[in-house]
Amino acid sequence: MSDKLHIDYAQYHHLIDRVVDAVKNSGFQPDCVLGVSRGGLFLADGLSRSLRKPMAVIAASSYRGGEGTSQGELQISASIASVGPVSGKVLLVDDLADTGHTLKALCEYLRTICPTITEMKTAVVWVKPGSVFKPDFAAEYLESDVWIVQPFETRDFL
């Protein structure tokens, strides 16, 4: 996977709009948008503002190493940052479904720690071809396993 797909802010905002439109057109009205830190925060913010719903944040990471490009064991924060309860209909948001293991594990974990969730849907910007998890909403389904450099990640490669 040596190829890199560089996304600029204009492209990124267009992709966010595609996810927002997909959620709105589906009729799903979440009570809360739950963003996965770090990558899912831009999309979660866009959805939270467009849907006029509160945003909460959970931290999860499986990427390690000097450049944060090697995947290891998934770590999930013990708590959720939120001004209200994470309950009812929840939209779980991350930047991409790479292998899909993070989103799958987060869905299972959230149902355990937030038993008042009645419905959960997921949204991402990208879905890679090898993902074992298929999100409910996505802007793009990639045909190859390209490394995506998002506009806010430019500092990662200095």
Side-chain angles (χ1 to χ4, degrees), residues 60-81:
S61 178
S62 61
Y63 287 94
R64 311 271 182 278
E67 290 187 1
T69 56
S70 59
Q71 206 165 18
E73 184 181 344
L74 177 64
Q75 294 180 323
I76 301 173
S77 62
S79 61
I80 297 171

Side-chain angles (χ1 to χ4, degrees), residues 32-103:
C32 172
V33 175
L34 178 57
V36 180
S37 175
R38 293 183 304 191
L41 295 184
F42 273 87
L43 177 58
D45 180 72
L47 284 160
S48 172
R49 291 173 190 275
S50 297
L51 301 172
R52 291 171 174 57
K53 298 296 179 183
M55 181 176 145
V57 177
I58 188 166
S61 178
S62 61
Y63 287 94
R64 311 271 182 278
E67 290 187 1
T69 56
S70 59
Q71 206 165 18
E73 184 181 344
L74 177 64
Q75 294 180 323
I76 301 173
S77 62
S79 61
I80 297 171
S82 177
V83 294
V86 175
S87 62
K89 296 179 180 180
V90 174
L91 182 60
L92 178 63
V93 179
D94 205 353
D95 54 349
L96 76 149
D98 188 346
T99 63
H101 295 297
T102 297
L103 281 168

Side-chain angles (χ1 to χ4, degrees), residues 105-157:
L106 277 169
C107 287
E108 293 167 3
Y109 178 71
L110 289 167
R111 292 203 182 278
T112 301
I113 67 164
C114 301
T116 55
I117 292 176
T118 58
E119 186 177 0
M120 187 171 7
K121 292 197 180 277
T122 54
V124 298
V125 178
W126 299 278
V127 179
K128 288 194 176 181
S131 179
V132 298
F133 185 90
K134 299 302 176 203
D136 297 288
F137 308 104
E140 289 189 336
Y141 290 84
L142 300 173
E143 294 181 12
S144 65
D145 189 19
V146 65
W147 186 264
I148 302 163
V149 181
Q150 299 175 55
F152 48 86
E153 293 177 323
T154 54
R155 289 175 191 85
D156 292 346
F157 298 96

